[in-house]
Amino acid sequence: MRQTGTSTRVLGTAAALLAALGTAIAAPTALGYQDANQATQAQPAKTASTQDAKAWSGDLWDAAARGDRREFVKLLNLAPNRVRDPMLADSASSLGVSLDEHTVARHEKVAEHREEVAAALATLADTPEPLEREEALLEGMSAAIALHMLADDKEAVLVDEQVKQIVAAADAEARAAEADGRWYAAAEMFERLHALYEDEGTYLADRKRQLKRLSLIALYAPERNHELRSERLVESGEEALPPFNPAGESVEERLEDIEPLMLLYSMVNADRHHVSGSKMKDLLVSGLKGLRLLAETDDLYGAYPQLADENTRSRFIEALASRTADVERAPVANDRTLQEVVRDVQVWNRETVRLPDALVLRVFGDGAMRALDDYTEIIWPYDVRQFERSTRGNFSGIGVSIQMNNKREIQVVTPLDGTPAQRAGVRAEDVITKVNGDPTMGISLNQAVDKITGPKGTPVDITVTRGEEDEEEEITFTIVRDTVELKTVKGWERIDATDDHWNWMIDPIYGIGYVRLTGFTENTTEDFDKALAEMTKQGVQGLILDLRFNRGGLLDQAVEITSRFVDYTKSRKSFGQVVVSTRNERTDGTGMAPERLQRRNSILPEIPVVVLINEGSASASEIVAGAIQDYSKASAAKAVVMGQTSFGKGSVQNVLPIDPERRSSPRALMKLTTQYYVLPGGRMIHRVPGKIEHGVVPDMSVSMLPDQVAESLMLRQEADVLVLDEEGNPPAVEDRPDPSRLISEGMDLQLNAALVLLQSQTRPTADAAAMLPEEKDRRTP
């Protein structure tokens, strides 16, 4: 078993670099970047006493808990003088160097991105050709976004003169591209503008308009969408897409089984139960505008030639515009107004453009829901199966992990151990060329998944090519679909290809466990308990709970996981044992009954825990991190939340049936935002336009540069998947991707900081203790 290594770089390297850079780093810049990692000069080493070690350990934990980064780094750099354990001293001082070096690299990146913004403006000043101008703007906007991400004072970035100039030019370019019908070019530019001003919401309406139009083209004119995407790639200097594959897109299937009552039910539910209050006027106006956008988007005319007739199209648009104005002028809109509008829209359609009734209903409904929030949506009959698959901990399929390779082919990453695909003989790197005889070239990954999955017990024919081009072999497998579990609980290092066989100990010497939750599904708590039982057998003394890039899932699972970390008895004195409550803005602010802690037997409240979060942590993962954080401050848990501020998705979506036949398995659903989550301490974490503060703010902020995030994610993904050979065997241990590089090569500063903090709170095993100076009364520092 490999042990986690630590860097042995010489202490003081970063300090020397800081000194060489001088005041350019030490002083805040015009963009408001602050030097939070002042290097500490190492003192000559001396033998530390037990009392010194205890005090250092407590001080380090306290500095992390209160978010005092300067003191945290100072203590790390003092470790050689204050810590008796040579391994811990080395780990701590190495982390201090890494954090100091990160400060240097961060400031270097700031300077680099400012130069990129200036270079983009210089290119624009030379009046370049249109494509060169667009490329310069995209690069300049990307640099401005990177500046904003790295900034402590984000307001200073937005008012910087050069940033304002690049934004003004990008704004003009985006609007010109939209006016010219270059939808993908406009969307790319507005997306960057929105990313820079996301908290302010300045470009939110522009971004939504682009997404709405592109969604219409993608859903209802897929061949034209394929052409537009291919043209955009060629414009950008990339290869064109392969020829359009009609097998991957079926507009008729998307519109199957849609009925008027599904639309009416969803509109009434939204009006009566949405968190923001009665919205019927807004819903109707947004639905009518969605239909108007459909009629005005000429890229749809090829799929629906009747829209190309200017006379009938104009009559349809005029009717929509007139009714929109009527609704906007009316003091109120109610259920009767809804019925009249939907009836009239259907009549106008039949008298003019004669689009399929189901298309009109779906476009109207989708447009209406955009008046609310990003998470409210109608799940039409075609989409129900995919939605249910995303919320369950399992699905029915063949058990392969697939990706799009650089030739845009559907390629097998690996068959999952013990699944129908592995038993049939599917291998890693096989290219799936056909599903049930239909070619896969040109279809998306989601479309491939839809074709491969299906009811349990049903067969599917999978044709693959295998081998080099000159010796390529085509094989067709007939595979019977079966239930495939999606595991959301992952450990430090795989033992074998079985999805739940992990080494859970990131550091067996200090007894530090590691659990990464990728989501919250039906099986998450059960699998977490199994992992905790394994770690307990191995003498776990501290735990890293990694919730980074966890997009959430089932609330009941978040409550159960939180209950493992909080002392049930102590929690009575704080927050009434609430994990999360809700707030409804449409009434007096009160919401549903709060979710409370469950009494569970767990060692976790008694051992130190570090919870890792970042901007990819959302919803249920924010509830877990925020609740543990609040109870830790109230002394009902011993935990520090570390990393970067989470995403800010703190709203409740209820899934409601909208099938008029009221079946036990509804043909259509709607996902409706009805409440906002409130953490035990009273924080509402949901991100709303114009609200700067959102999400869970970590106790201890540890940032990572974008390239560090990318490198660490890549290594983590590679280590998580053991590619089986043709006989179904995993690679030898020495040939597997080694996750300890995340620490030893300084890729993952957040994980490294969590590990060192927990090492400081635990005692090593007897073998490790033998390496320490003799001591009659050895206690945990």
Side-chain angles (χ1 to χ4, degrees), residues 3 25 61 109 302 355 426 482 486 579 619-620 663 760 777:
Q3 296 180 0
I25 296 298
W61 183 269
K109 282 292 183 183
L355 297 170
V426 176
D482 200 352
L486 295 174
V579 174
S619 193
R663 305 176 182 214
S760 75
D777 185 18

Side-chain angles (χ1 to χ4, degrees), residues 342-555:
V342 172
R343 180 198 63 206
D344 290 347
V345 162
Q346 291 177 291
V347 170
W348 300 332
N349 173 55
R350 290 165 189 159
E351 291 178 348
T352 57
V353 290
R354 301 183 308 283
L355 297 170
D357 287 344
L359 172 63
V360 172
L361 293 171
R362 178 161 180 163
V363 171
F364 186 95
D366 289 343
M369 296 304 119
R370 288 193 176 93
L372 301 176
D373 63 280
D374 290 341
Y375 306 103
T376 292
E377 62 176 325
I378 300 172
I379 304 164
W380 302 101
Y382 176 82
D383 305 308
V384 166
R385 187 162 66 94
Q386 184 174 350
F387 172 76
E388 290 178 340
R389 185 169 63 232
S390 71
T391 57
R392 290 198 305 265
N394 59 68
F395 65 96
S396 178
I398 65 172
V400 287
S401 174
I402 59 175
Q403 66 180 4
M404 191 78 75
N405 67 17
N406 56 13
K407 297 179 181 178
R408 302 184 186 278
E409 298 167 324
I410 306 296
Q411 187 173 46
V412 175
V413 177
T414 187
L416 305 181
D417 187 52
T419 60
Q422 188 200 26
R423 291 193 295 268
V426 176
R427 299 181 191 171
E429 299 186 4
D430 282 351
V431 173
I432 299 176
T433 57
K434 297 176 186 175
V435 178
N436 286 331
D438 294 330
T440 59
M441 179 59 77
I443 70 174
S444 69
L445 281 177
N446 283 339
Q447 291 161 355
V449 169
D450 283 340
K451 287 179 170 296
I452 294 170
T453 57
K456 179 179 178 179
T458 59
V460 58
D461 291 338
I462 304 293
T463 301
V464 305
T465 57
R466 180 179 296 170
E468 301 298 327
E469 289 187 8
D470 54 344
E471 298 180 0
E472 209 168 61
E473 176 186 12
E474 183 175 270
I475 309 170
T476 297
F477 301 97
T478 298
I479 305 175
V480 177
R481 299 178 176 106
D482 200 352
T483 300
V484 178
E485 271 200 57
L486 295 174
K487 295 292 185 180
T488 58
V489 180
K490 300 181 185 293
W492 174 240
E493 186 177 26
R494 279 196 177 280
I495 294 174
D496 56 36
T498 306
D499 220 19
D500 56 358
H501 287 190
W502 291 88
N503 169 19
W504 302 102
M505 306 299 285
I506 185 173
D507 189 341
I509 290 179
Y510 287 86
I512 310 300
Y514 174 87
V515 174
R516 188 169 78 263
L517 301 184
T518 59
F520 293 87
T521 62
E522 295 167 344
N523 305 319
T524 298
T525 302
E526 180 183 349
D527 290 342
F528 179 85
D529 286 344
K530 291 177 182 176
L532 182 57
E534 286 291 324
M535 288 184 282
T536 302
K537 290 178 185 176
Q538 297 177 49
V540 65
Q541 300 184 80
L543 178 69
I544 298 172
L545 178 64
D546 194 342
L547 298 177
R548 292 175 298 177
F549 299 106
N550 181 322
R551 304 301 292 178
L554 300 177
L555 176 61

Side-chain angles (χ1 to χ4, degrees), residues 27-94:
T29 71
L31 288 181
Y33 300 95
Q34 300 166 2
D35 182 12
N37 290 317
Q38 185 72 37
T40 303
Q41 182 66 42
Q43 301 297 318
K46 64 178 183 179
T47 303
S49 68
T50 303
Q51 187 174 1
D52 281 343
K54 285 183 179 180
W56 179 86
S57 174
D59 290 345
L60 190 70
W61 183 269
D62 290 343
R66 67 175 184 269
D68 190 339
R69 184 185 179 90
R70 187 182 298 275
E71 181 67 12
F72 186 79
V73 175
K74 176 183 175 182
L75 287 165
L76 291 173
N77 289 331
L78 289 174
N81 299 331
R82 299 279 300 276
V83 178
R84 294 179 61 78
D85 178 344
M87 291 189 298
L88 176 57
D90 179 63
S91 295
S93 60
S94 179

